[in-house]
């Protein structure tokens, strides 16, 4: 009987392993993963990718840190990569399994948040600004005053996406401070500014692509790719680049330290570094990517889109956010907590 049970157990174990070999769990931002890309990957590899969405860096970090989530890959933003590294939640990549790593564009290899791309590969990058329905508001949209000192036409009609570091650092730039500042005088100005401004906001929510398209919102703090998708559905939507300063971001794919489908994860990471596949990611979500040679596969409308190619007079105001220090993070979290009440 013992031999029979052992054989049965081995059979079940091998069946389970075989199933696992055809799976991959991707934890990614919502409405950010191309279905066509996933279909192509499954057809070429036989690996079924399950995507679980999150809506903020902090939410993703908290869920994975709690343990037992069962994900293989995650897509943190640049200013969070080192937090994931320091917490031991992602592992250094085995370059011998990444035959297409040389396709990463040179400017995206030695980046401050991951020198040499030891822990991550590019997914998409872009900017955080304000999307405005120009049939409702005719004034200057290239300012963070749109949501911090709300024009009368937009009062009660504007949304602010609840991404703490983006929103609060835009407010810091607006009052003349530096990203992740620990200057309490600057932070007090920021606190007073956002608390007062919130009285004129309609909501703090995600879903800007749809709600700007449908005229549910007249304006929103938003990401450039989402704003382009909204404009494609509603020509009145325009994306503004705040002259006071606005964040740039790059989201990158990383391998979780407790990943179960490691080999499949490496196949996916290598797959998205092929130019034609990186272009599929961009064509869906409408953000640029960091893979050389992908431009020739991009939709023509992305090559000149004002949301993707920032006008020269506004491009210099964009900056990547550093990883905030502990004291700055505590201050920002305190302001954000008050703002959520």
């Amino acid at each position: 009987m013992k031999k029979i049970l052992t054989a049965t157990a081995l059979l079940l174990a091998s069946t389970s392993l075989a199933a696992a070999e055809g799976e991959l769990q991707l934890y990614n931002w919502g409405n950010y993963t191309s279905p066509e890309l996933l279909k192509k990957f499954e057809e070429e590899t036989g690996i079924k990718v399950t995507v679980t969405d999150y809506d903020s860096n902090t939410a993703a970090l908290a869920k994975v840190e709690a343990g037992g989530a069962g994900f293989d890959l995650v897509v943190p933003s640049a200013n969070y990569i080192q937090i994931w590294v320091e917490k031991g939640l992602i592992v250094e990549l085995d370059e011998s399994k990444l035959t297409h790593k040389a396709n990463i564009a040179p400017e995206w290899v030695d980046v401050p948040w991951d020198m040499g791309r030891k822990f991550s590969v590019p997914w998409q990058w872009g900017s955080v600004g304000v999307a405005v329905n120009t049939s409702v508001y005719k004034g200057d949209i290239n300012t963070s005053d749109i949501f911090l000192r709300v024009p009368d036409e937009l009062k009660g009609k504007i949304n602010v996406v609840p991404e703490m570091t983006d929103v609060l650092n835009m407010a810091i730039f607006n009052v003349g401070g530096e990203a992740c500042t620990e200057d309490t005088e600057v932070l007090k100005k920021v606190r007073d500014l956002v608390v007062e401004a919130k009285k004129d906001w309609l909501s703090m929510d995600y879903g800007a692509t749809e709600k700007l398209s449908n005229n549910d919102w007249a304006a929103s703090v938003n990401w450039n790719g989402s704003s382009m998708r909204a404009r494609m559905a509603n020509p009145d939507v325009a994306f503004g680049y705040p002259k006071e300063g606005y964040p740039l971001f790059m989201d990158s794919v990383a391998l979780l330290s407790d990943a179960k489908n490691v080999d499949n994860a490496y196949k996916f990471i290598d797959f998205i570094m092929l130019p034609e596949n990186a272009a599929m990611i961009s064509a869906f979500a409408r953000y640029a990517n960091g893979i050389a040679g992908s431009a020739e596969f991009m939709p023509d409308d992305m090559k000149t889109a004002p949301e993707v190619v920032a006008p020269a007079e506004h491009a210099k105001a964009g900056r990547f956010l550093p990883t905030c220090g502990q004291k700055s993070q505590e201050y920002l979290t305190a302001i954000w907590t008050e703002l959520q009440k």
Side-chain angles (χ1 to χ4, degrees):
M1 178 62 73
K2 184 177 180 180
K3 290 183 179 179
I4 294 174
L5 286 174
T6 301
T8 302
L10 287 171
L11 178 61
L12 289 171
S14 64
T15 302
S16 175
L17 180 60
E21 286 176 351
E23 298 174 354
L24 180 65
Q25 298 290 330
L26 173 63
Y27 195 32
N28 199 0
W29 296 82
N31 201 15
Y32 203 43
T33 309
S34 164
E36 291 79 10
L37 177 88
L38 300 183
K39 181 181 179 182
K40 181 180 179 183
F41 180 72
E42 183 175 358
E43 288 174 349
E44 292 187 8
T45 65
I47 298 167
K48 172 69 175 177
V49 182
T50 299
V51 181
T52 303
D53 295 345
Y54 55 84
D55 56 18
S56 71
N57 278 295
T58 51
L61 184 63
K63 187 172 183 67
V64 173
E65 194 170 15
F71 305 126
D72 300 306
L73 297 172
V74 69
V75 192
S77 298
N79 56 319
Y80 275 77
I81 289 287
Q82 284 306 311
I83 298 175
W84 287 79
V85 172
E86 290 166 7
K87 289 179 178 290
L89 298 174
I90 58 176
V91 296
E92 188 168 342
L93 297 173
D94 181 351
E95 292 194 14
S96 70
K97 297 180 179 180
L98 299 176
T99 58
H100 302 128
K101 187 177 177 181
N103 289 338
I104 299 177
E107 64 269 29
W108 298 116
V109 176
D110 287 324
V111 288
W113 59 87
D114 186 11
M115 291 294 292
R117 286 290 178 175
K118 293 181 179 179
F119 290 90
S120 68
V121 304
W123 181 257
Q124 293 183 98
W125 74 276
S127 54
V128 187
V130 286
V132 180
N133 188 313
T134 56
S135 71
V136 177
Y137 179 67
K138 306 291 187 182
D140 180 17
I141 66 171
N142 294 299
T143 172
S144 49
D145 282 351
I146 290 287
F147 77 97
L148 294 171
R149 298 174 182 86
V150 184
D152 289 341
E153 299 96 317
L154 296 175
K155 288 181 177 178
K157 302 174 184 177
I158 186 168
N159 174 72
V160 173
V161 292
E163 182 64 31
M164 181 181 75
T165 54
D166 288 339
V167 172
L168 293 185
N169 277 295
M170 287 176 78
I172 289 171
F173 297 152
N174 186 278
V175 301
E178 296 297 324
C180 296
T181 183
E182 296 178 4
D183 185 325
T184 54
E185 290 300 315
V186 170
L187 290 163
K188 184 180 185 303
K189 290 180 183 178
V190 167
R191 178 265 171 204
D192 292 346
L193 183 60
V194 295
V195 169
E196 183 64 23
K198 188 185 177 184
K199 297 174 184 177
D200 295 322
W201 300 347
L202 171 65
S203 54
M204 294 182 68
D205 204 355
Y206 293 97
T209 304
E210 295 77 15
K211 292 181 179 179
L212 287 166
S213 299
N214 299 334
N215 294 313
D216 294 329
W217 299 338
S220 181
V221 175
N222 199 30
W223 296 279
N224 62 312
S226 168
S227 299
M228 180 179 176
R229 293 165 75 182
R231 175 177 60 79
M232 292 170 67
N234 182 350
D236 290 331
V237 175
F239 183 71
Y241 296 88
K243 54 181 172 285
E244 301 87 358
Y246 59 89
L248 300 175
F249 70 87
M250 172 169 269
D251 300 323
S252 299
V253 179
L255 177 63
L256 290 163
S257 56
D258 62 351
K260 299 294 188 295
N261 301 295
V262 175
D263 288 342
N264 294 346
Y266 274 109
K267 290 177 183 177
F268 186 80
I269 294 171
D270 209 36
F271 179 81
I272 64 172
M273 289 190 289
L274 284 169
E276 58 269 33
N277 297 336
M280 292 178 75
I281 297 172
S282 294
F284 173 75
R286 298 286 166 164
Y287 298 93
N289 63 71
I291 302 302
S294 63
E296 65 181 280
F297 299 100
M298 295 280 216
D300 288 340
D301 60 357
M302 285 189 69
K303 296 175 183 178
T304 57
E307 300 90 350
V308 179
V309 183
E313 65 269 29
H314 304 309
K316 292 181 180 179
R319 62 200 81 169
F320 280 97
L321 300 178
T323 301
C324 294
Q326 182 176 348
K327 185 177 290 187
S328 172
Q329 193 73 21
E330 289 173 357
Y331 286 140
L332 295 179
T333 301
I335 295 171
W336 193 250
T337 300
E338 182 176 359
L339 196 59
Q340 298 290 300
K341 292 178 181 177

